[in-house]
Amino acid sequence: MTVLEIPSTEGSARRAPGRPDAWTILGTDVSAADTAREALDMGHMRNWNVRLWSDTVTRHMDESGVTELAMPGTRAAVRTNPFTGEAEYMDRVGNQYTAVQVEDHEDILDMVRRESGATFHKLGAHGRNGSRYFISMTLPRVVRIGGVDEHRMHLTLFGSHNGSSSNSLHIGSTRLDCGNMQRLIISESTHKYSIPHTASAPLKLVKVQKSLATLFAWQDAFEREAQRLLDTPLTLGQFEKVVTRVFDDPANPSKKQHKNITVRDSALRSLFEDAATQEAIRGTAWAGWNAIGEYLDHLAPAKSDSTRAARSLADSGVVTERKTKAYELLALAA
């Protein structure tokens, strides 16, 4: 555990684990970029020329060798590899899918920088041959919950080239003490603006400017809800009940499931009761929510650190669902 001295009006120290956050694991530091084009060049994310190929071919290997099977009527998203210049398959896509280039978002990202004072942060591509990507910008506002729990605000473009999700501008925060990705979906507060992979994508891109003010307003809602949870006491018993519901444990777990649940619950109890990352907020619903988030972002079983980081960054999926459920349960008690 390292201690980072962060200048602030309170003059307090911040504790941060000696571990990389999801941005760092998956991304490239582009904080030196002045424009979106420069940032994309740094991360080798320009000139992919994502396009669609029809009537694709699949290969199947068995005891007799490799068999090629033509698949008429199918479509595949293909990119140009930025290092080799060769065409690369990313994934099969539906009939309504329209390819949207990463560069198509440059004007929006530059506008965010001009109008909000944001700076470029991290960007990266992951999934099969870069089929999913993100471009993060750090907003000027710093939120300190209770005057001590510091959060940096980020506006992130999440995108895909495999039809798994719409491209979307998403606002969220990163907690300094533990590197948690603060996925807090708050009722009646817009946290994202989606741009579908359909023929309407160019029109949605033009209209996004009008939605930025709504996204920025999420920062106030986040600070209000976080403070409300910080003001709510939470016992270990109450925390453990929330954990059981968040992870939807089976009523009669198998021997292996029971072992996994025991290991998980031990880690969560330690995060809630003993972790230095909860020291300033100990015994509150806010500490409970952050303990669950820290477990999901940094400790939950995964095939690799990259897999866990991708789950934490994703705008949808099991991590976001569990963080949202934990917030909803804890907010009821607040």
Side-chain angles (χ1 to χ4, degrees):
M1 182 71 66
T2 57
V3 177
L4 306 181
E5 293 293 338
I6 307 296
S8 70
T9 54
E10 297 79 22
S12 57
R14 298 289 182 265
R15 297 175 182 83
R19 62 191 177 204
D21 58 22
W23 305 115
T24 302
I25 292 171
L26 293 176
T28 298
D29 186 340
V30 292
S31 56
D34 290 324
T35 66
R37 175 164 291 200
E38 289 181 7
L40 293 178
D41 280 336
M42 289 179 185
H44 307 286
M45 287 176 58
R46 293 188 72 248
N47 301 317
W48 285 12
N49 186 25
V50 178
R51 64 268 193 195
L52 302 178
W53 284 2
S54 59
D55 298 338
T56 59
V57 173
T58 186
R59 291 178 174 84
H60 174 69
M61 178 176 289
D62 55 24
E63 312 81 46
S64 60
V66 177
T67 301
E68 289 194 355
L69 177 66
M71 301 177 67
T74 61
R75 305 164 84 226
V78 176
R79 74 162 181 172
T80 298
N81 183 289
F83 300 102
T84 67
E86 297 180 353
E88 281 186 333
Y89 168 82
M90 288 190 282
D91 215 331
R92 280 195 295 165
V93 295
N95 291 329
Q96 300 300 313
Y97 179 89
T98 298
V100 178
Q101 308 302 324
V102 180
E103 298 96 311
D104 292 343
H105 303 90
E106 286 180 4
D107 288 345
I108 291 173
L109 297 173
D110 287 335
M111 178 186 65
V112 170
R113 187 176 187 275
R114 288 193 308 268
E115 297 195 1
S116 71
T119 55
F120 290 101
H121 174 225
K122 300 283 179 68
L123 60 76
H126 56 98
R128 179 187 287 161
N129 295 328
S131 57
R132 299 179 69 88
Y133 66 89
F134 65 89
I135 305 168
S136 174
M137 304 182 77
T138 302
L139 298 175
R141 182 170 178 178
V142 177
V143 172
R144 293 182 177 91
I145 309 304
V148 295
D149 192 10
E150 187 167 326
H151 294 72
R152 295 309 305 258
M153 295 291 161
H154 294 101
L155 187 70
T156 304
L157 171 68
F158 289 105
S160 71
H161 294 299
N162 59 6
S164 61
S165 65
S166 297
N167 293 349
S168 63
L169 281 170
H170 183 291
I171 192 167
S173 69
T174 304
R175 186 176 184 235
L176 181 63
D177 273 5
C178 57
N180 285 358
M181 312 302 296
Q182 305 294 61
R183 292 284 181 254
L184 197 59
I185 299 176
I186 303 168
S187 177
E188 299 181 0
S189 182
T190 302
H191 75 287
K192 72 176 180 179
Y193 179 85
S194 297
I195 305 161
H197 284 282
T198 63
S200 66
L203 181 61
K204 296 280 282 187
L205 284 169
V206 171
K207 291 182 176 180
V208 70
Q209 182 174 1
K210 298 179 180 179
S211 299
L212 286 178
T214 302
L215 287 178
F216 292 151
W218 179 90
Q219 297 174 97
D220 293 326
F222 168 77
E223 185 170 12
R224 181 188 68 245
E225 289 302 293
Q227 185 65 52
R228 195 160 68 95
L229 294 180
L230 182 64
D231 293 337
T232 303
L234 188 73
T235 66
L236 176 61
Q238 291 171 321
F239 173 69
E240 290 176 331
K241 288 180 181 179
V242 170
V243 166
T244 299
R245 294 185 63 183
V246 166
F247 288 88
D248 195 22
D249 293 335
N252 298 299
S254 65
K255 186 175 181 180
K256 182 177 180 180
Q257 287 174 327
H258 179 73
K259 180 180 179 180
N260 292 339
I261 291 170
T262 300
V263 171
R264 182 204 70 202
D265 287 353
S266 177
L268 282 162
R269 277 194 301 272
S270 178
L271 288 170
F272 180 67
E273 289 194 299
D274 305 316
T277 45
Q278 266 62 260
E279 182 178 334
I281 59 176
R282 187 90 63 211
T284 69
W286 184 232
W289 191 74
N290 276 285
I292 292 171
E294 188 170 349
Y295 174 81
L296 292 169
D297 286 355
H298 302 289
L299 301 177
K303 292 181 180 179
S304 65
D305 290 344
S306 296
T307 300
R308 188 184 298 108
R311 290 192 316 220
S312 296
L313 279 179
D315 186 39
S316 60
V318 66
V319 170
T320 296
E321 290 171 1
R322 284 174 173 166
K323 288 182 180 180
T324 300
K325 189 171 183 179
Y327 161 65
E328 291 171 348
L329 292 170
L330 291 166
L332 290 174

